Amino acid sequence: MIYELVPTELHDELNAFRHDLEKMTLQHIETCPFCGENKFYLIRSKPTSTYRCKACYKYFTIATNTPFNRLTPFNWLEIIFINRIENKSYHYIAEKKLDCSLEKIMRRDHAIIEYLHAHYPALYRWYIAHDQSDLTPTLAEQHKVINDKITAILNEKNPSCIHCSSTDTTKVGSRTCYRCKRCRRSFNLLGDTPLNRLPKPELWIEFINLMVAGQNNMQIGKKLNLNSSTISSWRAIWCEMMKIWNCEALAIWCSRR
Ligand SMILES: [Zn+2]
Ligand SMILES: [Zn+2]
């Protein structure tokens, strides 16, 4: 029935992709993903069939060298793909279909998107255009947490000293560095985080808003007048920060290019 939901001209790619997913689920391996030889030993079959190539001696599973590596159980992939085509939300799939966390669904959907991008370009374009436009409540909540934290850190006047907890502190320089008047030591609010050396704090909130809105690196680069390698390193740093600040779902959401 999903065939009625997908434009006819995409059915060839759709069939091919579903066939790939089926092979993934059945863990049907024809050749070594490293050297292409077709002779291998079965090393173990649970939880995932793992093989060793007789030619190059490398170990592999059906998902080796694919975005689906370690995303077991593999039969979830098709369930998620079909539900997304039926326009079901991540929340719905997590709660009603697979009884698992939102993060697990998003991680797999992003792997599906990455795989489509590499192998089925037309289906990929259709599938991402079809992506959820409304943020789920969890993502919206986490987005607010991140923005609030950044705003607070960048506008802090007298943070408590990290050495002696005194609030008799004063800002030094333009970033997040302070000096304590009591113990006379200095400290940086972002000192032990990946944000420490990230430039242009005046763009951070806007950058995050664009990422959360689903803009790709090229679109964000144009708007903020930054080059694409800067954007991709910013994206990686922010996704790491989101995880540190317990916003895992948002980090997964934003990790897609
Ligand atoms: Zn091999
Ligand atoms: Zn102090």
Side-chain angles (χ1 to χ4, degrees):
M1 85 173 253
I2 60 162
Y3 285 87
E4 293 154 24
L5 300 169
V6 179
T8 319
E9 65 271 23
L10 299 176
H11 285 189
D12 286 347
E13 287 196 355
L14 179 63
N15 282 329
F17 179 55
R18 293 191 72 185
H19 185 60
D20 292 351
L21 290 179
E22 191 186 350
K23 279 204 283 192
M24 193 72 65
T25 300
L26 297 172
Q27 304 197 41
H28 179 70
I29 292 184
E30 279 153 15
T31 56
C32 164
F34 297 102
C35 71
E37 283 298 324
N38 61 3
K39 297 209 163 42
F40 32 79
Y41 314 94
L42 178 66
I43 299 292
R44 61 175 168 271
S45 54
K46 290 212 155 93
T48 306
S49 300
T50 304
Y51 299 88
R52 188 173 192 195
C53 177
K54 286 187 183 178
C56 73
Y57 304 113
K58 289 185 176 147
Y59 293 89
F60 56 88
T61 71
I62 183 69
T64 297
N65 289 348
T66 79
F68 305 124
N69 202 14
R70 281 194 267 274
L71 294 183
T72 54
F74 296 125
N75 66 333
W76 282 16
L77 297 167
E78 181 162 39
I79 297 171
I80 292 167
F81 179 67
I82 287 173
N83 275 274
R84 294 291 300 116
I85 286 180
E86 291 170 348
N87 234 342
K88 300 289 196 313
S89 71
Y90 288 143
H91 264 282
Y92 174 88
I93 304 170
E95 283 167 25
K96 308 278 183 217
K97 290 285 171 177
L98 296 174
D99 194 18
C100 68
S101 70
L102 186 65
E103 285 79 1
K104 286 190 176 168
I105 304 297
M106 292 174 65
R107 205 177 285 276
R108 285 164 178 78
D109 195 39
H110 287 185
I112 289 169
I113 289 169
E114 202 182 313
Y115 188 90
L116 291 176
H117 183 249
H119 301 280
Y120 303 112
L123 186 60
Y124 160 79
R125 280 190 297 275
W126 178 83
Y127 190 74
I128 57 163
H130 189 80
D131 212 342
Q132 281 172 302
S133 49
D134 296 328
L135 285 184
T136 63
T138 308
L139 295 178
E141 215 170 89
Q142 297 191 351
H143 183 197
K144 186 173 180 314
V145 168
I146 296 291
N147 280 1
D148 288 352
K149 268 188 189 280
I150 300 161
T151 308
I153 287 173
L154 294 179
N155 295 298
E156 191 69 79
K157 295 257 181 327
N158 306 100
S160 327
C161 170
I162 60 163
H163 307 291
C164 73
S165 313
S166 162
T167 52
D168 193 8
T169 53
T170 179
K171 196 165 184 156
V172 287
S174 59
R175 287 180 55 106
T176 50
C177 297
Y178 296 81
R179 181 174 297 119
C180 174
K181 292 180 187 165
R182 193 164 91 186
C183 74
R184 297 176 167 274
R185 283 194 275 184
S186 47
F187 58 94
N188 181 345
L189 288 180
L190 296 172
D192 53 354
T193 73
L195 289 183
N196 191 16
R197 273 180 299 212
L198 199 69
K200 298 185 199 282
E202 69 279 6
L203 295 180
W204 290 359
I205 295 268
E206 197 182 348
F207 178 79
I208 287 169
N209 293 345
L210 291 168
M211 242 185 348
V212 172
Q215 304 256 301
N216 65 30
N217 290 356
M218 222 166 63
Q219 294 166 312
I220 300 178
K222 244 184 210 162
K223 287 212 173 91
L224 300 184
N225 204 14
L226 296 168
N227 69 43
S228 65
S229 69
T230 305
I231 299 291
S232 72
S233 78
W234 277 37
R235 191 185 282 275
I237 287 172
W238 278 111
C239 290
E240 207 182 324
M241 256 344 268
M242 288 170 182
K243 283 181 198 155
I244 293 172
W245 284 339
N246 296 318
C247 294
E248 175 94 33
L250 193 67
I252 298 169
W253 171 266
C254 291
S255 66
R256 233 182 63 208
R257 289 147 294 156

